[in-house]
């Protein structure tokens, strides 16, 4: 893969920043109060061969495609839904970070990633042409409500408040991941007891920090060793701290960490916690409330789940761990408040 440009992507909400240089991603959590030193350190031993991801506009050619799904087309027709542009499905997404949504490095215009891949799949299944739009995260709600866009696929978590204004069809679990060096002796982190005594990088003020603080409190009450919380302003310093063995693990959004692990092979997943813990949070495609589109969207997604195209999208972006068995219409969302 020939790459000549340097590109920086930023995820909104203070979760992570990613730098891509020569097609290699280098990033972890960025919000935090402390900072680590940048010392030379031996690299961990990769447990598997690193994967290459085409970050150019040619990546579009590899998207899994499907023919129109008769049941979905019939449901769309029966619903009375009329797309913004006749014959097309206008799908909005945000360009923030691989592997979710980002602009191709050769034209800085083509939206790539798992989320636009799902947008293409849905358009195909509905028998419509994909019309892809890019918008800032803060702008999509009004754009969907006003009818500027038909659908959003941009890592949107279902919440009960959002369900007041939008209809959703789920397509991924919202997961947080514990990642360690690829040659670490740590093989599993499933609950509070597993983090006792570990040094863990986590983003300050994030949902993952809230979960880790609760687990640490539980451990302390049980007489177990406390967690050593590590915060880094500089994500490169955090990455170096993990790779040099000065910290044991990172805990943050799984999608970006899974992509990084697939790219360099220097880290491995040892545990997943749903982002809505203790509730269950799901990522979903969203449309304006009551416009009739969402049932047909869910039919397409379930067709793709049953016939393999769904798994192909997850696999090509390293997101197999976030797969679901069935797309649901308006599943239970994160609680209000």
């Amino acid at each position: 893969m020939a790459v000549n440009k340097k590109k920086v992507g930023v995820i909104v909400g203070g979760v992570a920043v990613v730098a891509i240089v020569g097609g290699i991603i280098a990033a972890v959590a960025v919000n935090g109060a402390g900072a680590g030193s940048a010392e030379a350190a031996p690299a961990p031993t990769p447990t598997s061969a690193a994967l290459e991801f085409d970050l150019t506009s040619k990546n579009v050619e590899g998207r899994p495609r499907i023919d129109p799904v008769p049941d979905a087309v019939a449901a769309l027709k029966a619903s009375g839904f009329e797309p913004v542009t006749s014959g097309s499905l206008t799908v909005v997404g945000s360009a923030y970070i691989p592997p979710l949504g980002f602009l191709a490095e050769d034209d800085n215009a083509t939206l790539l990633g798992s989320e636009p891949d799902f947008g293409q799949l849905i358009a195909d299944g509905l028998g419509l042409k994909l019309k892809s739009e890019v918008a800032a995260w803060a702008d999509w709600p009004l754009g969907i409500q006003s009818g500027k866009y038909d659908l959003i696929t941009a890592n949107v978590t279902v919440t009960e408040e959002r369900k007041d204004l939008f209809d959703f069809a789920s397509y991924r679990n919202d997961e947080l991941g514990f990642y360690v060096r690829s040659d670490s002796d740590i093989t599993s982190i499933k609950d509070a007891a597993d983090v006792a005594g570990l040094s863990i990088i986590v983003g300050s003020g994030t949902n993952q920090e809230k979960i880790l603080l609760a687990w640490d409190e539980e451990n302390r009450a049980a007489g177990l060793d406390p967690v050593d919380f590590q915060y880094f302003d500089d994500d490169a310093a955090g990455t170096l701290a993990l790779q040099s063995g000065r910290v044991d693990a990172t805990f943050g959004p799984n999608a970006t960490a899974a992509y990084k692990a697939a790219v360099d092979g220097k880290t491995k997943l040892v545990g997943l916690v749903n982002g809505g813990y203790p509730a269950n949070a799901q990522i979903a495609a969203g449309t304006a409330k009551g416009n009739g589109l969402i049932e047909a969207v869910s039919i397409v997604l379930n067709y793709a789940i049953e016939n393999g195209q769904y798994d192909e999208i997850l696999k090509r972006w390293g997101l197999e761990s976030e797969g679901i068995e069935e797309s649901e219409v308006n599943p239970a969302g994160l609680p209000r408040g």
Side-chain angles (χ1 to χ4, degrees):
M1 176 178 62
V3 180
N4 298 313
K5 296 182 180 180
K6 178 179 178 181
K7 184 174 185 178
V8 176
V10 180
I11 190 167
V12 180
V15 176
V17 171
V18 167
I20 303 172
V21 182
I24 301 299
I25 188 170
V28 194
V30 217
N31 20 2
S37 60
E39 303 171 0
T45 303
T47 55
S48 60
L51 301 179
E52 286 192 359
F53 294 85
D54 184 357
L55 305 184
T56 72
S57 57
K58 290 183 67 65
N59 177 282
V60 171
E61 299 172 9
R63 283 179 175 166
R65 305 291 297 270
I66 58 175
D67 293 327
V69 179
D71 288 348
V73 173
L76 187 66
K77 183 177 180 180
S79 73
F81 172 78
E82 294 291 341
V84 174
T85 300
S86 180
S88 297
L89 186 71
T90 303
V91 181
V92 65
S94 293
Y96 35 49
I97 192 170
L100 301 172
F102 59 99
L103 297 179
E105 58 189 10
D106 60 330
D107 65 12
N108 202 37
T110 304
L111 187 62
L112 303 177
S114 61
E115 309 309 272
D117 279 8
F118 279 113
Q120 178 69 73
L121 197 73
I122 292 166
D124 285 348
L126 296 178
L128 299 172
K129 180 181 179 180
L130 174 66
K131 182 180 180 184
S132 185
E133 299 283 354
V134 179
W137 173 262
D139 295 337
W140 74 259
L142 182 57
I144 291 289
Q145 287 180 274
S146 67
K148 183 177 181 180
Y149 314 120
D150 295 315
L151 193 75
I152 180 167
T153 56
N155 203 44
V156 179
T157 300
V158 181
T159 70
E160 290 302 314
E161 288 181 340
R162 285 176 179 161
K163 283 164 61 178
D164 291 340
L165 301 174
F166 309 99
D167 285 325
F168 293 101
S170 59
Y171 60 87
R172 274 180 30 239
N173 280 317
D174 183 357
E175 300 284 6
L176 300 171
F178 284 99
Y179 282 79
V180 299
R181 276 177 52 132
S182 56
D183 53 3
S184 171
D185 292 334
I186 299 171
T187 59
S188 177
I189 297 178
K190 293 182 178 180
D191 51 35
D194 294 330
V195 300
L198 296 184
S199 179
I200 301 176
I201 296 173
V202 68
S204 177
T206 61
N207 191 45
Q208 52 266 30
E209 183 195 36
K210 180 180 177 181
I211 293 170
L212 200 57
L213 286 168
W215 282 13
D216 186 51
E217 184 177 352
E218 180 181 332
N219 285 339
R220 290 170 183 266
L224 300 178
D225 291 337
V227 172
D228 176 19
F229 287 79
Q230 293 288 317
Y231 302 96
F232 287 84
D233 290 324
D234 184 342
D235 62 271
T239 299
L240 183 57
L242 179 67
Q243 294 179 355
S244 67
R246 289 188 286 116
V247 299
D248 298 306
T250 66
F251 183 40
N254 178 70
T256 50
Y259 177 81
K260 182 182 178 185
V263 167
D264 64 21
K266 294 181 180 180
T267 55
K268 63 181 179 181
L269 174 68
V270 293
L272 287 171
V273 178
N274 189 270
Y277 180 89
N280 184 60
Q282 293 196 62
I283 302 299
T287 189
K289 191 75 176 178
N291 70 0
L293 175 60
I294 208 65
E295 292 285 352
V297 170
S298 184
I299 291 172
V300 172
L301 289 168
N302 280 318
Y303 174 90
I305 289 172
E306 293 172 4
N307 290 277
Q309 297 87 0
Y310 173 82
D311 287 337
E312 288 179 32
I313 291 178
L314 296 181
K315 184 176 181 180
R316 89 189 204 105
W317 294 110
L319 299 179
E320 296 95 324
S321 58
E322 300 193 355
I324 59 175
E325 295 183 359
E326 180 182 10
S327 173
E328 299 179 68
V329 172
N330 291 327
L334 295 183
R336 298 176 187 274

